[in-house]
Amino acid sequence: MDTIQLTLAQAIIKFLKAQYIERDGMEKQFFAGCFGIFGHGNVAGIGQALQQNPDFRYYQARNEQAMVHTATAFAKVSRRMRALACTSSIGPGATNMVTGAATATVNRLPVLLLPGDIFARRNVAPVLQQLESPYSQDISVNDCFKPVSCYWDRLHRPEQAIPALLEAMRVLTSQADTGAVTLALPQDVQAEAYDYPSAFFEKRLWYVPRLCPDREAVRRAAELIHTSKAPLIVAGGGVIFSDATAALRAFVDQTGIPVGESQAGKGSLPYEHPGCLGAIGATGTRGANIMAREADLIIGIGTTYDDFTTASKTVFGHPHVRFANINVNEMDVNKHGGLPLLGDARAVLEALTAALSGWQVEESYRARARQFNEEWDQEVERIYNLEHGPLPSQGEVIGAVNKASRPQDIVLCAAGSLPGDLHKLWRTRDEFGYHLEYGYSCMGYEIAGGVGAKMAAPEREVYVMVGDGSYLMMSQEIVTAVQENIKLNIILIDNHGFASIGGLSESLGSDGFGTRYLARNETTGQLEVKNFL
Ligand SMILES: Cc1ncc(C[n+]2csc(CCOP(=O)(O)OP(=O)(O)O)c2C)c(N)n1
Ligand SMILES: [Mg+2]
């Protein structure tokens, strides 16, 4: 057997370079490179390997959590067909990535995390930054990645790279199971040599199938739709991941079934499409929520049905409402006791469109959706032009950004009061135009995510809308953007603190406690001096 002697770290980078992905006849190199911050836990291993492989681009970040957000946004704008790796040292460098891992996993977006780990040999233990457990030597802080990873492994020997990397790629390229993949790399093992089979590093193509639905399930779904008087689609992020927006549009045009959009699904239809009711749920439009209350059949497409989308399961009000779900993921496809149409969103929509040939909703139902669409757009126009003074309202700021941006540009946001307002008010003209990280709603995603979005789509302008709270939590990746010559348009909304949570607190009778930016009054000992800035 032909072999090649490499350290574990060299083998990992050599393998990552050779991974390709294919869907619909389009082939891409899966990894666009590796973000990293070095410490003693990775500098001599992955650090050396990256230095020796300049054709696998290394990106320097300022914070480990942020670099995972950048990788997550990159994967999202790449429709999960490309990804970035992230390497960290051991200890705090590694645990800084845990929040990023959770954000990626909750949003079902592929990122490969390579945290350094404590010495496998244990001869030097406890090494600097090692967590010592009194009951086991087989624990390190990297165990914290287990619940937030879709695949987790620790490589105690260099030859374990072979099964571990193949499993990592299986999960990263799986449309059903993807998310954060963590390979914890003990710092001594990273630098250990092994004779790897040369074949392991040959070009490997990961084929992404478009899983067709079960024929009987399609027949039953068509029957449910035929007998429904008031069907409604809930479009989620899966529509965009699957590249199914054209198939959705054809289905809606043929059947007249209107569409409400989740945060991840906004952009599934352009805002002016007559069947587009826009945002649904807790932050939904009037039309979407009225039609959801009356709908007797909900067709969920690529949605996780989170509590904002369903207004905590209150938005669907018909006493006999039924569900039919289209999803590649077994957990999601069975939600709400729905009829499961397990498969790729585009493939299922095409099958359903054919099965429903000649059928459509009553003309008055179609007209009702169109009227709600037009009425909502008038409301958006009113809010865009409120002329609130002396400072503009948040809605007017959103309107100004919307009007200044081109249809193909991206607005990007994650937490605070902006996501709810954007969900209702942003006129989405392109399927990538609306980028909300609202699965984890992680403050700090905004600017770091903006860097990743722009890396994936350099031809688009990226408008990062960020509250002052999120900005103060994590804005240092502006430096990374400058380093990479990446242009971001950052719109910072300063309302002196956590206005969204302040509003919640007031509604609960807690008077905004701890949510405004105040200063210590030394006389009372409390935070209460206003306008100290
Ligand atoms: C990392 C993280 N910590 C805490 C929260 C809880 N949280 C949600 S919104 C918010 C306040 C956001 O403030 P800001 O960015 O200024 O937006 P605003 O509410 O003022 O619009 C907080 C603390 C969160 N979502 N993420
Ligand atoms: Mg604020």
Side-chain angles (χ1 to χ4, degrees), residues 65-78:
Q65 178 185 329
M67 71 191 184
V68 186
H69 291 330
T70 299
T72 304
F74 177 85
K76 179 165 175 158
V77 180
S78 306

Side-chain angles (χ1 to χ4, degrees), residues 157-230:
R157 299 179 58 87
E159 58 267 47
Q160 289 173 344
I162 297 171
L165 285 167
L166 292 173
E167 289 301 302
M169 284 306 298
R170 172 183 64 77
V171 173
L172 287 168
T173 59
S174 160
Q175 299 304 291
D177 300 333
T178 197
V181 165
T182 302
L183 299 182
L185 306 173
Q187 57 189 94
D188 52 346
V189 186
Q190 280 182 51
E192 252 170 58
Y194 178 73
D195 292 321
Y196 292 91
S198 306
F200 183 57
F201 304 106
E202 280 167 13
K203 176 176 170 180
R204 199 174 293 264
L205 193 58
W206 297 84
Y207 176 74
V208 179
R210 288 202 175 273
L211 278 188
C212 288
D214 177 70
R215 241 187 298 162
E216 175 59 15
V218 171
R219 196 194 60 73
R220 290 184 192 188
E223 199 174 282
L224 271 181
I225 296 169
H226 268 127
T227 53
S228 160
K229 292 264 169 296

Side-chain angles (χ1 to χ4, degrees), residues 6-43:
L6 296 168
T7 66
L8 169 68
Q10 288 166 334
I12 289 173
I13 301 303
K14 193 171 173 63
F15 176 88
L16 297 184
K17 281 201 296 188
Q19 304 311 301
Y20 287 75
I21 188 165
E22 181 197 339
R23 183 169 68 180
D24 304 330
M26 290 226 298
E27 184 183 309
K28 290 177 181 161
Q29 189 168 22
F30 188 63
F31 289 102
C34 183
F35 268 86
I37 293 181
F38 298 117
H40 63 93
N42 60 344
V43 71

Side-chain angles (χ1 to χ4, degrees), residues 471-490:
Y471 183 85
L472 290 174
M473 199 173 276
M474 196 176 287
S475 48
Q476 75 295 329
E477 298 309 307
I478 290 173
V479 178
T480 305
V482 172
Q483 158 193 293
E484 296 298 332
N485 203 16
I486 280 174
K487 179 187 168 196
L488 295 181
N489 303 278
I490 299 173

Side-chain angles (χ1 to χ4, degrees), residues 394 415-418 441-443 467-470 473 495 497-501:
Q394 189 152 278
S417 60
L418 272 165
S441 187
C442 185
M443 290 170 73
D468 50 345
S470 271
M473 199 173 276
N495 53 19
F498 306 154
S500 51
I501 306 300

Side-chain angles (χ1 to χ4, degrees), residues 386-401:
L386 266 187
E387 296 188 17
H388 189 272
L391 290 168
S393 68
Q394 189 152 278
E396 286 174 273
V397 176
I398 290 171
V401 177

